[in-house]
Amino acid sequence: MDTTLQEYREMLAGQPAKTGKMLWKLAKKGNLQAVEALHGYYEKIITEAKTEKEAAKIRKQAFKVCLAGAGQNSPYWLIMTGEMYRYGIGTDKNGQKAFACYEKAAALGSVDAAVKVGRAYMNGIGVPVDYGESLRFFESAAGQDNPEAMVLLAYQYENGKGTATDYGKALEWLDRAERSCHGWLERELTERDRKDYQSLLGDVEQKRRHCEAVSCVEVLENETIPEEEKQKAFSRLLWLAGEGNDSRAQVHLGILYEEGKVVEKDEKKALDYYLMAARNGSTGAMNNIGNFYLHGKAVEKDLDKAFAWYQKAVELSGNAAAGCSLGMCFQYGYGTAVDYGKARYYYGESAKQGFGLAMYRLGCLYEQGLGVTKDVRMAKQYFGEALHCGYRDAALKL
């Protein structure tokens, strides 16, 4: 009669050293019960490790056990092994090996692995970024009632990643994700899975409000839409920013009041909304607040505060606009000492994200030889890239 998983666990609790050796031999022969029992044991004892050296040894043992499970073409253990490669747990970080594990598990029919492969393509984990491929894998997983894939599809449609921007489709996928989560929550689940679906529902609501906010702004800026519809959209945007406490709605209201195109210009209200959004973690709002202090809009001009807001936005998320602003501060000494090396660095980090103004300013550094050897050819290359990314003033330099 085969030994059960529970029996293996009891044996480990009673005689860990002897049972551990026996289970490792079984794991190497492909016994997945032994693999699961051993891995669970290592997860338990690592919390009791007294030194980092001891914990590292346990992680390596856990990794070997995962490899044994993965060697049996088990999708679950392939995913676990992929995660350990991705984050460098018990082994060196290796994105390519992580991706190979995810891909193999997906080919074996694992829906969770298909989501992992999609995320890998979306974020460039072990493979070049390819939004078309991430979209394909998310669609496959969503077709098998995976709500996480539906939320990720909504993100791609919301941000135009691998497809045209379509807030309507984004909202449709979010609605489907919500229904799917509620369906899963009606089943018998582990406590961990239940918390995951509940957390996903929170993400759905947040993303829905983000999409709604943008949709409201599109209505307000469309001259062909009747005034009555615009009033409804503005009221909804106010609710999303206020009671809904949505950071994107707050940022958009800030922009509307700052620009004064569809509402009466009011820089004080604009700043208030940016501050609300910043409290909710919006790094875009933080960059805009920095601009207000830089130019003295609705507040007394304060270069130190401008620099601090830009720096906070960059530290939190590497915001491209804030990175460009921080580079400007280092170039001209706004709120900090002039440092062309740091200016070049922050412009470069911003440029990597496709921010045209940062490319233009890099070009200016090379054109003038500020912190770099003067190089007109390199300057023109950056001006060309800036123009390609939509910064029209770069055309004057070409």
Side-chain angles (χ1 to χ4, degrees), residues 54-346:
E54 183 182 349
K57 183 178 179 181
I58 296 170
R59 291 190 195 100
K60 287 182 179 179
Q61 291 171 321
F63 174 68
K64 289 180 180 179
V65 170
C66 282
L67 278 178
Q72 298 304 307
N73 288 332
S74 161
Y76 176 82
W77 292 110
L78 280 164
I79 292 173
M80 287 292 289
T81 303
E83 293 292 88
M84 296 184 88
Y85 273 126
R86 178 181 175 184
Y87 296 106
I89 301 172
T91 185
D92 293 333
K93 281 187 179 182
N94 191 315
Q96 291 180 330
K97 287 184 178 181
F99 178 80
C101 288
Y102 301 149
E103 189 176 40
K104 188 172 183 178
L108 290 166
S110 169
V111 180
D112 290 336
V115 176
K116 295 286 185 185
V117 173
R119 282 188 176 276
Y121 277 117
M122 177 184 281
N123 299 305
I125 301 167
V127 288
V129 171
D130 188 328
Y131 295 121
E133 280 296 285
S134 63
L135 194 75
R136 184 170 70 87
F137 276 94
F138 293 149
E139 285 175 341
S140 172
Q144 298 176 71
D145 198 29
N146 184 287
E148 181 184 359
M150 297 173 192
V151 171
L152 290 164
L153 279 170
Y155 168 82
Q156 292 206 224
Y157 277 107
E158 177 189 357
N159 294 281
K161 302 289 188 181
T163 183
T165 299
D166 190 325
Y167 295 105
K169 283 190 176 180
L171 288 167
E172 286 177 16
W173 279 114
L174 291 172
D175 287 342
R176 287 183 61 177
E178 182 178 45
R179 291 195 298 271
S180 178
C181 281
H182 283 303
W184 281 101
L185 287 169
E186 290 174 359
R187 308 178 192 185
E188 288 188 15
L189 299 169
T190 64
E191 188 60 30
R192 180 176 179 177
D193 285 343
R194 187 166 295 279
K195 286 182 179 178
D196 285 344
Y197 285 120
Q198 289 170 339
S199 175
L200 199 56
L201 277 174
D203 290 342
V204 166
E205 183 56 31
Q206 182 186 53
K207 290 181 184 301
R208 180 185 285 123
R209 291 181 179 183
H210 280 357
C211 288
E212 274 194 82
V214 179
S215 296
C216 288
V217 173
E218 287 183 339
V219 170
L220 291 169
E221 293 180 340
N222 190 330
E223 296 180 358
T224 66
I225 291 179
E227 191 61 33
E228 184 179 348
E229 291 300 312
K230 289 188 175 184
Q231 286 298 323
K232 288 180 181 179
F234 188 66
S235 296
R236 182 60 180 169
L237 190 61
L238 286 172
W239 185 91
L240 288 167
E243 291 182 49
N245 197 30
D246 180 73
S247 62
R248 187 167 295 185
Q250 291 159 354
V251 170
H252 279 299
L253 274 171
I255 293 171
L256 291 177
Y257 278 113
E258 182 181 0
E259 294 181 344
K261 291 181 180 178
V262 297
V263 294
E264 186 177 350
K265 187 170 182 175
D266 189 327
E267 291 180 344
K268 178 64 173 62
K269 278 188 178 180
L271 180 60
D272 288 342
Y273 278 114
Y274 289 148
L275 288 167
M276 289 169 66
R279 285 193 291 271
N280 280 327
S282 169
T283 53
M286 294 174 194
N287 179 67
N288 292 352
I289 295 167
N291 291 340
F292 270 51
Y293 277 108
L294 180 71
H295 300 292
K297 295 169 65 173
V299 290
E300 186 175 343
K301 186 173 182 176
D302 190 322
L303 299 182
D304 290 339
K305 287 184 177 179
F307 177 84
W309 277 107
Y310 297 144
Q311 189 174 47
K312 184 176 182 180
V314 171
E315 288 175 351
L316 284 175
S317 73
N319 182 280
C324 183
S325 299
L326 200 57
M328 173 193 64
C329 288
F330 281 113
Q331 180 176 351
Y332 297 106
Y334 296 156
T336 187
V338 170
D339 188 324
Y340 295 126
K342 287 184 178 179
R344 180 189 175 195
Y345 170 78
Y346 285 110

Side-chain angles (χ1 to χ4, degrees), residues 35-50:
V35 169
E36 187 170 352
L38 261 183
H39 193 267
Y41 172 68
Y42 289 136
E43 281 190 329
K44 176 181 178 296
I45 65 172
I46 198 168
T47 62
E48 302 166 1
K50 295 178 181 178

